[in-house]
Amino acid sequence: MTLTIGVDVGGTKVAGGVVDDDGNVLTQVRRDTPAQDPLGTRNTIIGVAAELAAAYPEATAVGIGAAAWIDATRSIVLFAPNLAWRDEPLRRHVSEAVGLPTVVENDANAAAWAEFRYGAARDAEDSMIMITVGTGIGGAIVLNGELVRGTHGIAAELGHMLSVPDGHPCGCGRLGCLEQYASGRALLRFARAGARQEPDRAPILLELAGGDADAVTGLMITTAAQKGDPVSRDAFAQIGYWLGGAMADLVQILDPQVLVIGGGVIDAGELLMGPTERAYREALAVRGTLPVAPLLAAETGSAAGVIGAADLARRI
């Protein structure tokens, strides 16, 4: 049994775990991310990895999944939108401090790898596309059993595919990206606008928000939708429409074995998966009897980043 360490680095937390060959997390550590302090963030990651290495001296390597663009050598954080990192040689720092071989990967890639190896796509031996729906949109592509990283290491930014020409401005600088129509932020925008424009169709949502549409949160939308609130259910239907259409486009381009949807918004279950599946199938209806990839919900949950990063470390 080979044990490796996985570390999942986000804008608010650094989570680490020791993972075995079967994808089981044996122990976990979690610390807050000092996001505006590059040295502090690096030291937090090192601290988490070192603590786990001390507890499990048989661990053989460290994998780090970071919410950032990682270079093609999987060693340098080129840019992190939610962390104060620019050209950070993270692999070298962690490897030297912890004394173990280290690899750095984009967090969506790490989560997708967990799904490919141990989750919803574990029976796919060749290919998978995953979109993660959280505050923003992440993505990953597996072809021929390997993650597609691209020439510069920053492939599969699926959230920045064009959905609406000259649409809502995106943080990447473009207009109309998928992220602006199918993310957690989009869900909030749709629900808040609906509550303001049609308050009689949002009674449960507005009650949860104290009558203030601007106070609506994602959890409120999910809760209200589960209780039948029309505006809340419409908001999920809207992001499902755009997400399903994007999945259909990806199928036309890459023809994968499996499509997976992950990220925090997937906790809404059928509220998201139902309209996404319908939009996906409708967009591909003209293909007739041609086979298309099944659309599945991610299974590894909040541990996906840790599990995926640890398994990638196993392959150094």
Side-chain angles (χ1 to χ4, degrees):
M1 182 70 71
T2 302
L3 302 183
T4 50
I5 295 167
V7 183
D8 184 18
V9 184
T12 60
K13 53 83 181 169
V14 175
V18 176
V19 182
D20 68 16
D21 292 330
D22 297 322
N24 299 308
V25 181
L26 306 184
T27 190
Q28 296 186 68
V29 174
R30 180 185 175 111
R31 297 183 185 170
D32 292 338
T33 304
Q36 299 309 309
D37 178 0
L39 180 59
T41 299
R42 179 205 303 168
N43 289 339
T44 300
I45 294 166
I46 290 171
V48 166
E51 181 178 335
L52 293 168
Y56 286 82
E58 64 270 43
T60 61
V62 177
I64 300 169
W69 288 347
I70 312 299
D71 78 326
T73 67
R74 298 190 294 166
S75 60
I76 297 171
V77 179
L78 299 173
F79 173 77
N82 298 312
L83 298 166
W85 270 341
R86 303 294 183 272
D87 298 318
E88 166 73 14
L90 186 61
R91 183 176 72 181
R92 176 171 60 82
H93 288 305
V94 174
S95 181
E96 290 176 353
V98 181
L100 290 173
T102 300
V103 65
V104 184
E105 186 57 83
N106 170 267
D107 61 339
N109 279 353
W113 189 252
E115 288 298 321
F116 184 68
R117 290 278 290 127
Y118 305 109
R122 59 186 172 274
D123 294 329
E125 68 280 356
D126 175 73
S127 55
M128 177 199 75
I129 296 174
M130 180 169 170
I131 288 184
T132 57
V133 184
T135 303
I137 294 278
I141 299 169
V142 176
L143 291 178
N144 300 317
E146 299 288 341
L147 282 165
V148 175
R149 296 186 175 86
T151 300
H152 304 100
I154 55 175
E157 286 291 337
L158 304 182
H160 300 292
M161 297 187 298
L162 181 66
S163 288
V164 180
D166 297 322
H168 286 282
C170 184
C172 74
R174 301 181 70 201
L175 300 176
C177 291
L178 176 65
E179 184 165 292
Q180 299 306 309
Y181 295 89
S183 65
R185 286 195 192 98
L187 181 73
L188 280 173
R189 191 177 74 248
F190 291 141
R192 288 171 177 172
R196 283 191 294 267
Q197 294 164 11
E198 300 181 276
D200 57 319
R201 298 187 68 247
I204 301 172
L205 183 60
L206 285 171
E207 181 181 357
L208 291 171
D212 182 3
D214 291 332
V216 165
T217 66
L219 180 59
M220 290 176 189
I221 299 167
T222 300
T223 301
Q226 289 168 340
K227 295 180 178 180
D229 185 83
V231 160
S232 299
R233 296 183 75 88
D234 285 353
F236 276 107
Q238 288 182 80
I239 68 169
Y241 169 81
W242 294 109
L243 192 58
M247 288 294 203
D249 287 345
L250 291 167
V251 163
Q252 302 277 24
I253 298 167
L254 295 170
D255 188 26
Q257 285 179 281
V258 180
L259 296 168
V260 178
I261 299 177
V265 179
I266 197 64
D267 292 342
E270 187 62 18
L271 289 168
L272 176 63
M273 291 301 295
T276 301
E277 175 82 22
R278 287 191 293 275
Y280 171 65
R281 295 293 173 183
E282 288 170 5
L284 292 175
V286 294
R287 289 183 60 144
T289 59
L290 292 175
V292 295
L295 181 61
L296 305 174
E299 296 179 1
T300 53
S302 61
V306 168
I307 294 170
D311 196 65
L312 289 167
R314 192 171 285 113
R315 297 160 187 276
I316 296 175

